[in-house]
Amino acid sequence: MFGYVRPLTAELKVGEYEKYRAVYCGVCREIGRTSGQLSRFALSYDTVLLCSVRMILENITPEFDSLRCPAHPMTRRAVLLPNSATRFTAAVFDALVSSNIADDLADERGLKKIKPLLLSPLASHLGKCAGRELPASTDEKLRSLLSELSRLEDEKCPSADLTSDAFGDVLAFLFSLGLDGEKADIASSFGFAVGKFIYICDALDDLPDDIRRDRYNSLRYGWGEYALDGGKVSPLVADSIKTALPVSLEPLSDAVEKLNPTHPLTPIVKNIVYLGLPCSADRIISGKARDKKEKRRSTEADNT
């Protein structure tokens, strides 16, 4: 995932923040157990939403323990203990990373193919790890959905709506795996809306860099010469995304209100949906996220 799906931590109660961080640590440990320690470096806080929604829908009461980890060896932290939701989240993470490497291997040419070639053993390993937890048909269906997204991108689709819908379909499928009835519908609504949100935010966040490097970006092909203004995202594009993103999040309002209100993780999910995602959107639209990224790159260049 991409780092856009987070709560507004200032509005979380102390106990809620501890639970939020503990869920992340629990998923991180699960990934280390199931697919190896290196996989943990690719993890982002986005996975907390998937794990939390699954726990609520499966009526799993979270259990925590105070543990140490290599990243924080001096202090103990609350950690979510393993359960079916942490195993599912780790498997979905493995499947996504594996499919992404496989797609890069198929799409890249020349020197750009070296990186996915080097990572192909990891892709195979993660795919096997995911296969132990997810239904047998998952890999074929996931590849089909990602293939549709790749087709749109290869054709230089100028519609951010179509491409974000395609990624929404990917997460809708993964969020609802193994569920049925209303639970599957709720999970699918979460996945689709979050997928659209992530794809649009990522397209906007990367727009100047994608144009500079001649990479595909739906906003680049949709807006053409009006995409940038003085090397930065043009006000026209920013204003259009400012209108589009709240619309993409509307299904989440219905889905989140169908969750069990007494579950200890529901307030955290509500914070992410009602406060965290709009805050992330504002940060991307305003350009603050890009400015921070550019500053970090500049500092890294100065230190080399």
Side-chain angles (χ1 to χ4, degrees), residues 32-290:
R33 278 192 294 269
T34 59
S35 54
Q37 302 304 317
L38 287 177
S39 304
R40 299 168 75 172
F41 288 101
L43 188 65
S44 81
Y45 275 94
D46 295 347
T47 54
V48 174
L49 179 66
L50 171 58
C51 189
S52 298
V53 169
R54 292 291 295 205
M55 289 181 68
I56 297 168
L57 291 176
E58 295 181 24
N59 199 29
I60 299 171
T61 300
E63 297 181 10
F64 304 97
D65 197 0
S66 181
L67 303 171
R68 300 181 193 273
C69 76
H72 306 282
M74 304 303 294
T75 58
R76 289 180 175 271
R77 285 193 173 193
V79 177
L80 175 68
L81 296 179
N83 58 51
S84 61
T86 60
R87 291 192 293 274
F88 174 81
T89 303
V92 167
F93 171 84
D94 290 342
L96 278 172
V97 174
S98 175
S99 296
N100 185 58
I101 295 172
D103 284 346
D104 286 346
L105 186 60
D107 296 340
E108 297 292 5
R109 298 291 182 271
L111 293 177
K112 291 183 179 180
K113 202 178 185 73
I114 294 176
K115 182 178 178 180
L117 272 173
L118 293 174
L119 292 175
S120 58
L122 175 62
S124 177
H125 170 67
L126 294 179
K128 291 177 182 177
C129 293
R132 289 196 290 265
E133 182 69 26
L134 302 178
S137 60
T138 300
D139 185 63
E140 182 179 353
K141 177 65 174 177
L142 180 57
R143 287 184 184 278
S144 174
L145 291 170
L146 289 172
S147 176
E148 174 60 17
L149 176 59
S150 294
R151 182 188 68 79
L152 291 170
E153 293 179 342
D154 289 343
E155 294 175 357
K156 305 294 189 292
C157 177
S159 171
D161 197 42
L162 285 177
T163 47
S164 62
D165 276 356
F167 189 65
D169 288 338
V170 172
L171 291 196
F173 166 67
L174 291 173
F175 265 64
S176 60
L177 265 175
L179 301 175
D180 51 36
E182 185 181 28
K183 291 181 179 179
D185 292 339
I186 293 171
S188 180
S189 294
F190 266 97
F192 184 76
V194 168
K196 278 188 69 73
F197 178 83
I198 288 174
Y199 194 91
I200 293 172
C201 281
D202 194 54
L204 183 63
D205 202 14
D206 290 344
L207 182 57
D209 197 40
D210 285 342
I211 292 177
R212 185 168 59 250
R213 296 176 181 234
D214 194 27
R215 295 186 303 211
Y216 171 78
N217 187 304
S218 56
L219 297 175
R220 170 191 177 184
Y221 288 96
W223 286 90
E225 63 182 292
Y226 301 105
L228 297 184
D229 182 8
K232 296 186 176 182
V233 174
S234 73
L236 287 172
V237 175
D239 288 345
S240 72
I241 299 301
K242 190 173 184 178
T243 301
L245 278 180
V247 175
S248 73
L249 293 176
E250 284 180 1
L252 279 180
S253 297
D254 294 332
V256 78
E257 294 303 327
K258 294 177 181 177
L259 296 178
N260 178 5
T262 65
H263 193 281
L265 297 181
T266 298
I268 298 172
V269 173
K270 285 190 172 183
N271 179 293
I272 292 172
V273 170
Y274 292 129
L275 300 175
L277 295 183
C279 183
S280 288
D282 288 344
R283 188 166 49 87
I284 300 300
I285 293 168
S286 68
K288 291 179 181 178
R290 287 187 298 278

